[in-house]
């Protein structure tokens, strides 16, 4: 690298920070970057886009304005406010982390990324984001967006999923972030990945990094970063029963350690080979609750994609025939009035079934 190139290569962090300070998008946690607000926003922003997060963030900090209030809240209320945002372990960990903070740290979070990582739900990226934005610690926060920008910028060919790539990017960014405002630098990198250096069709003509960018200069923006092809995503057919008994509906609460833990759903499960869907509903309801039911008409079929699999879920109206509901797969079963369905936190697909069930019951 020539002296001139070397000088140019170390000026881009400063230029990027200036650009961020001029052009950044207003967000509720940016106008008041208190540790609590930064924390909530960073947890919500994992796996979720800014436009989706903003209304959730506003409602959440309105209802739970501090670590203390969050720690004292019931987990069911926290999950209810999180409903629809997905990846519910984030909400459970956040709630747990608030309790640890209040009990062990007197409500004051550790000031460094290393200290923050001791808390539930805080990985390397989130710890660095909170420590840099809320406390000004010069540690690079490296997520998928930043890995993409840096792979292109420096022409790195290590696959995205390989931990060695994150290690290398962190090592290269660490001396650079020490020379600028760490909060603004990390946010500028994230913003560049989200708005300019997008996975497809990066906006190189408007990018401050283009003068230094290997991928741009060698016309390889569609080859970098190296992304290994994902395997085939499994697809499951699911049958669930909206079981009625004397004007009430049966719902089941999932164990907290399960996926979608703490949320409520209708009993049911995966279709087995050589089984028709209404048979699946009868079998699963029997296995999960001990109840015998008569299966009626299908109410609705919903499709949903999770991170590692997809489902097509058909809900049947069912009538209770015999038996006393006992939780076998779930941790709790409840017979509730249809109007109360809205009060219970549910996964998105289940919520659609609940809404369709209430509409149908109103018509019948
Ligand atoms: S020049 Fe293009 S490829 Fe390089 S960092 Fe900017 S947007 Fe990404």
């Amino acid at each position: 690298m020539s002296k001139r190139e070397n000088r140019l290569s170390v000026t881009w962090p400063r230029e990027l920070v200036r650009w961020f300070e001029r052009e950044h998008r207003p967000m509720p946690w940016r106008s008041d970057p208190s540790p609590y607000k930064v924390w909530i926003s960073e947890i919500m922003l994992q796996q979720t886009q800014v436009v989706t997060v903003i209304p959730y963030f506003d409602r959440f900090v309105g209802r739970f304005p501090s670590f203390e209030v969050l720690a004292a809240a019931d987990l069911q209320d926290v999950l209810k406010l999180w409903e629809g945002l997905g990846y519910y372990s984030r909400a459970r960990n956040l709630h747990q982390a608030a309790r640890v903070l209040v009990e062990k740290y007197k409500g004051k979070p550790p000031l460094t990324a290393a200290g923050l990582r001791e808390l539930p739900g805080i990985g390397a990226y989130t710890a660095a984001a909170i420590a840099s934005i809320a406390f000004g610690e010069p540690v690079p926060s490296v997520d998928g967006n930043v890995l993409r920008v840096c792979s292109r910028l420096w022409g790195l060919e290590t696959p995205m999923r390989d931990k060695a790539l994150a290690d290398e990017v962190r090592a290269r960014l660490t001396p650079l972030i020490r020379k600028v405002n760490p909060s603004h630098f990390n946010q500028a990198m994230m913003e560049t990945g989200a708005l300019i250096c997008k996975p497809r069709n990066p906006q190189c003509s408007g990018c401050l990094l283009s003068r230094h960018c290997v991928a741009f200069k060698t016309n390889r923006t569609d080859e970098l970063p190296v992304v290994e092809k994902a395997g085939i995503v499994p697809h499951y057919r699911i049958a669930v029963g909206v079981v009625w008994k004397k004007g009430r509906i049966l719902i089941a609460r999932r164990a907290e350690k399960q996926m979608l833990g703490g949320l409520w759903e209708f009993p049911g499960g995966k279709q087995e080979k050589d089984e028709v869907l209404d048979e699946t509903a009868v079998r699963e309801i029997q296995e999960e609750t001990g109840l015998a039911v008569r299966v009626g008409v299908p109410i609705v079929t919903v499709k949903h994609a999770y991170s590692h699999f997809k489902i097509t879920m058909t809900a049947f109206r069912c009538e209770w025939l015999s038996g006393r509901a006992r939780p076998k797969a779930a941790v709790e079963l409840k017979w509730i009035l249809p109007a109360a369905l809205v009060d219970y936190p549910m996964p998105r697909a289940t919520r659609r079934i609940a809404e369709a069930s209430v509409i149908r019951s109103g018509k019948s």
Side-chain angles (χ1 to χ4, degrees):
M1 189 183 278
S2 71
K3 272 189 181 167
R4 183 171 178 279
E5 279 173 330
N6 189 42
R7 189 165 46 77
L8 279 176
S9 71
V10 292
T11 58
W12 69 259
R14 208 157 272 137
E15 290 165 19
L16 200 67
V17 165
R18 275 195 222 113
W19 165 78
F20 174 78
E21 288 166 353
R22 259 192 338 264
E23 308 276 339
H24 67 265
R25 294 173 289 173
M27 294 175 195
W29 49 90
R30 282 184 174 161
S31 54
D32 171 18
S34 67
Y36 182 69
K37 288 188 176 174
V38 171
W39 190 306
I40 303 297
S41 67
E42 284 302 331
I43 300 293
M44 286 187 169
L45 287 165
Q46 293 167 2
Q47 322 278 355
T48 312
Q49 295 194 335
V50 169
V51 284
T52 308
V53 162
I54 288 176
Y56 278 91
F57 174 87
D58 287 338
R59 278 197 297 272
F60 199 92
V61 298
R63 174 84 180 273
F64 308 118
S66 65
F67 289 118
E68 286 77 7
V69 177
L70 180 58
D74 189 303
L75 176 61
Q76 286 288 298
D77 294 334
V78 176
L79 288 170
K80 181 65 194 156
L81 228 56
W82 203 273
E83 186 181 302
L85 203 53
Y87 297 95
Y88 295 89
S89 60
R90 296 181 297 176
R92 294 193 301 274
N93 282 331
L94 190 55
H95 184 239
Q96 184 60 25
R99 293 197 159 172
V100 173
L101 269 181
V102 170
E103 282 163 23
K104 278 200 186 162
Y105 297 81
K106 299 196 166 53
K108 299 261 182 290
L111 302 180
T112 63
L116 288 162
R117 287 202 67 178
E118 302 291 315
L119 293 158
I122 307 282
Y125 165 78
T126 308
I130 298 170
S132 62
I133 298 171
F135 307 124
E137 190 185 11
V139 280
S141 47
V142 177
D143 68 348
N145 277 333
V146 175
L147 287 177
R148 183 172 60 254
V149 174
C150 292
S151 294
R152 287 172 172 163
L153 176 64
W154 291 314
L156 306 178
E157 296 185 0
T158 309
M160 280 279 273
R161 281 169 177 268
D162 194 328
K163 182 179 167 294
L165 179 66
D167 290 345
E168 178 169 2
V169 166
R170 224 172 269 123
R172 283 175 175 247
L173 289 176
T174 297
L176 302 178
I177 196 173
R178 290 190 180 135
K179 296 188 166 74
V180 288
N181 178 318
S183 162
H184 291 178
F185 178 77
N186 276 337
Q187 293 185 77
M189 290 295 287
M190 297 172 201
E191 202 91 326
T192 300
L195 300 180
I196 296 172
C197 193
K198 296 180 183 181
R200 287 193 202 141
N201 302 322
Q203 311 292 303
C204 302
S205 57
C207 178
L208 281 171
L209 305 180
S210 59
R211 279 189 300 159
H212 321 289
C213 178
V214 172
F216 175 64
K217 289 199 275 192
T218 57
N219 205 18
R220 296 172 65 211
T221 56
D222 54 351
E223 289 169 31
L224 293 171
V226 175
V227 181
E228 285 167 342
K229 278 201 180 134
I232 294 170
V233 179
H235 173 255
Y236 304 114
R237 295 260 344 171
I238 308 278
V240 300
V242 178
V243 183
W244 288 80
K245 181 187 175 190
K246 296 181 184 165
R248 290 176 179 259
I249 293 174
L250 185 68
I251 57 171
R253 182 161 62 87
R254 294 175 68 87
E256 278 175 24
K257 291 217 165 99
Q258 280 182 299
M259 182 186 163
L260 306 172
L263 300 185
W264 294 79
E265 62 183 6
F266 301 106
K270 285 182 205 162
Q271 183 181 34
E272 288 189 352
K273 209 164 161 262
D274 302 326
E275 197 175 50
V276 292
L277 271 179
D278 50 3
E279 290 171 348
T280 305
V282 171
R283 177 182 54 74
E284 286 284 344
I285 292 165
Q286 214 286 327
E287 286 173 8
E288 291 189 1
T289 68
L291 298 182
V293 299
R294 181 190 307 115
V295 177
V297 291
I299 301 166
V300 67
T301 294
V302 296
K303 294 185 174 197
H304 196 77
Y306 294 98
S307 55
H308 296 99
F309 62 92
K310 294 178 184 174
I311 59 166
T312 300
M313 180 155 65
T314 299
F316 293 89
R317 182 183 167 104
C318 298
E319 300 297 332
W320 170 83
L321 287 178
S322 64
R324 187 153 163 240
R326 289 205 171 83
K328 294 185 176 175
V331 289
E332 187 180 358
L333 296 173
K334 266 191 184 180
W335 293 100
I336 62 165
L337 292 169
L341 283 168
V342 74
D343 299 331
Y344 291 84
M346 292 178 168
R348 193 184 287 262
T350 304
R351 176 60 64 201
R352 286 179 59 196
I353 293 169
E355 286 166 0
S357 302
V358 172
I359 291 166
R360 267 190 176 253
S361 71
K363 283 182 181 164
S364 61

